[in-house]
Amino acid sequence: MNSLDWAVLVGYFGVMIAIGVWSHKRVDDVSDFFTAGGRMPWWLSGISHHMSGYSAVMFTGYAGIAYRYGITSYITWSFPIAIGIAIGAQLFAGRLNRLRSRLGVASPLEYLKNRYNLPTQQALAWSGVLLKIVDVGAKWAAIATLLSVFTGISLNQGILLTGVITGVYCTVGGLWADALTELGQFVIQLLAGVAMLVTVMGELGGVSALWTVWDKLPDHHTQPTVGPYTLTFLLAYLFIKTFEYSGGMWNQAQRFMATRSARQAQRSARLSAALWFLWPAVLFFPMWVAPLLVTAQKPDASDAYALLTERLLPHGLLGLVIVGFFSHTMAMCSSDANAISAVFTRDIAPALSAKARDWSHRAGLLAARLSTVAFLGLSMAIATQVNSPTFKDIITVVIKWVAGLVGPISIPFLLGMLRLFRRSGPTAALGSWAAGLFAFWLTNYGLDGVQLQIQIVAPVATSLLLFVLLGSVRPEATPERDAVLARINSDDDGAARTAPVAIPEQGDGAAADGMRGGAGEVPRDR
């Protein structure tokens, strides 16, 4: 990098901070901070959903997969995500929006107190927060790895730099800042990605390289599934990503909650699905042909894309591509931070402290910002350990930990919104959650030689099976829970606003006490 590249990078950071400061004016309370007050346009929500779904891991871990195995990086990663989001657009996006518009919640998990009980909500909240600290730590490590290639600064210095910049704008501006910066980051990524594609095609003979270059690459580069990324892995990944990207990862749920209506939430999801289907193919082509242009130095080839940009791109344009790397990671990490802050402020803190249940608008907003800072700090600390024997490497954390653990957390959360599973109550929710966590430990650490696809699918499959089975064996449907489901599943948005249905609190002792008067109480007059 030279002074021109640094100017582009510093300018980018400055714009991100400026957007955060501008967004600060639009944040008056926790609803604005966590769900943009339900005023976000569907197209902005869709772009934000797409951008918050992947990070610089694509340019490190998945770039290594593309370098070694070819098109399977697309077939077994972004393609199943696109299909999963399209499925989620029909099943979950509209219902997630109604959590805000019908039940008045600001956190995705707030409704779980009424759908199940307080212990269920707390189990999912705490385990999800811990998972995301590890997940976002891997993202910080990924971008710091790329930064070290270009600038020579240490891993820890890169983590600190990106974490602090992200913390400033997402803490000040909330979800509005996240979405608006993600829109800017999408434009930057579009320019950088197209520039890289054109440069690589020029290096390999022009546009014809799109179809003539494959004979020069290893035979397995054109196979849809190869190596550990088998057909079984593809199906398992589709199964998992349908839950994860449809709201199982709470930052994705927030994008649907932030739109004005359930119909706009569905349009948002469809736009994100289309972007996932088209755009990663543009980004992946330079990675697929990278073996013809550079020789990766790391065993997992995670440095291949960085080496490619250094060789091919002129200064200034190189800085733009580096900004594109940052845009991915900062988009995902800031959105995760906002989601975790929502869960802590609206779900965890009120259960721990009576004072938190009576926070004023100002106090709640301050707590939201402080918890965002705390989450970012913890994830940055984890990032410094991501290559330790416990976590092994970046791609292991992303594929195994996230894919394996998202199922036990998302199954009770997402399926709990569907009438089909009305019989599944607290026993089914907690039982499926605990069994899924045990399946993750067993397949990853308790047994030796378990295949990758089994490691990632066993937890979510176990959780799904137990959720359905326990709901059938020990049904726990109640009029109160049915009332929650009725409001989430009704398609008549106008009728819901003019004739709201009262939802009595659950009458299960301490759990009910924890819900009365809390920050997440279901409003009766909404």
Side-chain angles (χ1 to χ4, degrees):
M1 290 179 63
N2 69 2
S3 58
L4 183 59
D5 298 318
W6 277 109
V8 172
L9 187 60
V10 171
Y12 164 74
F13 284 148
V15 171
M16 296 302 101
I17 293 175
I19 290 175
V21 173
W22 181 88
S23 300
H24 179 72
K25 301 176 182 179
R26 305 189 63 133
V27 178
D28 296 324
D29 54 31
V30 291
S31 177
D32 293 332
F33 192 82
F34 294 135
T35 61
R39 302 189 302 271
M40 189 176 292
W42 67 269
W43 56 267
L44 179 57
S45 170
I47 292 174
S48 178
H49 183 279
H50 173 74
M51 284 297 295
S52 64
Y54 56 102
S55 69
V57 171
M58 178 175 183
F59 300 103
T60 52
Y62 283 106
I65 295 173
Y67 181 93
R68 290 179 294 162
Y69 297 113
I71 67 169
T72 192
S73 59
Y74 171 84
I75 297 298
T76 61
W77 179 60
S78 58
F79 179 71
I81 291 175
I83 299 299
I85 296 173
I87 294 171
Q90 186 66 29
L91 290 179
F92 303 119
R95 291 177 171 89
L96 286 166
N97 180 268
R98 295 185 192 109
L99 293 182
R100 177 196 57 77
S101 63
R102 303 286 181 79
L103 305 184
V105 304
S107 157
L109 300 190
E110 237 176 309
Y111 95 106
L112 295 179
K113 294 195 300 291
N114 292 75
R115 175 59 181 88
Y116 300 113
N117 58 15
L118 186 62
T120 302
Q121 183 210 40
Q122 293 300 296
L124 268 62
W126 281 101
S127 56
V129 167
L130 295 174
L131 169 62
K132 290 310 295 181
I133 290 174
V134 175
D135 178 34
V136 173
K139 306 303 191 304
W140 293 135
I143 191 61
T145 299
L146 285 171
L147 191 60
S148 67
V149 172
F150 292 109
T151 67
I153 67 174
S154 70
L155 180 70
N156 290 348
Q157 289 172 331
I159 292 168
L160 181 63
L161 175 64
T162 53
V164 169
I165 296 294
T166 304
V168 170
Y169 78 76
C170 76
T171 301
V172 171
L175 191 64
W176 272 118
D178 289 346
L180 291 172
T181 53
E182 284 158 359
L183 175 61
Q185 289 157 355
F186 177 73
V187 174
I188 292 170
Q189 181 200 102
L190 181 66
L191 296 174
V194 170
M196 188 64 177
L197 176 65
V198 171
T199 302
V200 167
M201 288 192 302
E203 192 75 10
L204 295 175
V207 177
S208 61
L210 292 174
W211 57 86
T212 61
V213 75
W214 302 102
D215 290 341
K216 304 173 186 176
L217 291 164
D219 291 340
H220 64 254
H221 254 55
T222 57
Q223 296 178 14
T225 56
V226 65
Y229 308 103
T230 63
L231 177 60
T232 304
F233 177 91
L234 169 61
L235 296 176
Y237 211 64
L238 172 60
F239 183 49
I240 292 167
K241 293 304 173 180
T242 299
F243 289 103
E244 180 181 344
Y245 280 75
S246 296
M249 283 299 188
W250 307 326
N251 62 311
Q252 308 285 15
Q254 283 182 300
R255 271 64 188 167
F256 301 141
M257 295 171 67
T259 59
R260 296 179 182 275
S261 68
R263 182 166 297 183
Q264 287 204 11
Q266 289 180 313
R267 294 177 72 184
S268 167
R270 294 185 184 114
L271 173 59
S272 181
L275 290 173
W276 272 104
F277 180 73
L278 296 172
W279 183 240
V282 175
L283 295 179
F284 267 130
F285 182 79
M287 303 179 196
W288 293 332
V289 300
L292 301 177
L293 300 171
V294 297
T295 301
Q297 303 300 311
K298 294 187 176 182
D300 61 355
S302 60
D303 59 344
Y305 196 80
L307 295 172
L308 195 65
T309 58
E310 278 196 316
R311 175 187 166 182
L312 297 181
L313 296 181
H315 291 294
L317 196 54
L318 174 61
L320 186 64
V321 170
I322 295 172
V323 163
F325 297 158
F326 277 97
S327 69
H328 281 293
T329 298
M330 295 174 74
M332 174 172 278
C333 294
S334 63
S335 64
D336 279 331
N338 188 274
I340 295 304
S341 176
V343 170
F344 177 82
T345 306
R346 304 287 287 183
D347 303 320
I348 294 177
L352 297 177
S353 169
K355 291 183 179 180
R357 294 194 286 273
D358 297 321
W359 274 336
S360 64
H361 287 313
R362 183 176 180 180
L365 194 54
L366 177 61
R369 287 176 168 141
L370 290 175
S371 58
T372 300
V373 172
F375 169 77
L376 290 172
L378 288 172
S379 63
M380 289 161 64
I382 289 292
T384 64
Q385 305 299 316
V386 76
N387 288 314
S388 70
T390 302
F391 301 116
K392 293 186 179 179
D393 54 40
I394 295 170
I395 200 65
T396 297
V397 173
V398 173
I399 291 182
K400 286 188 177 181
W401 278 62
V402 178
L405 290 174
V406 71
I409 297 169
S410 64
I411 292 291
F413 167 52
L414 291 175
L415 296 188
M417 295 188 296
L418 305 182
R419 283 197 182 101
L420 179 63
F421 301 101
R422 61 179 291 272
R423 293 161 61 93
S424 297
T427 301
L430 283 173
S432 65
W433 168 80
L437 294 183
F438 176 75
F440 172 79
W441 173 85
L442 184 66
T443 54
N444 283 272
Y445 301 102
L447 300 174
D448 295 327
V450 179
Q451 292 181 323
L452 178 62
Q453 53 263 36
I454 301 300
Q455 290 177 330
I456 65 173
V457 80
V460 66
T462 301
S463 293
L464 177 61
L465 178 63
L466 264 292
F467 188 76
V468 175
L469 181 61
L470 290 175
S472 300
V473 173
R474 196 174 188 275
E476 296 176 299
T478 66
E480 294 82 6
R481 291 173 184 138
D482 286 346
V484 173
L485 288 173
R487 299 197 70 181
I488 296 172
N489 285 272
S490 172
D491 289 331
D492 192 349
D493 289 339
R497 291 190 180 93
T498 57
V501 179
I503 303 175
E505 298 282 11
Q506 297 291 330
D508 52 349
D513 293 338
M515 289 182 285
R516 295 187 182 97
E521 184 177 2
V522 177
R524 299 296 188 268
D525 58 349
R526 195 169 179 86

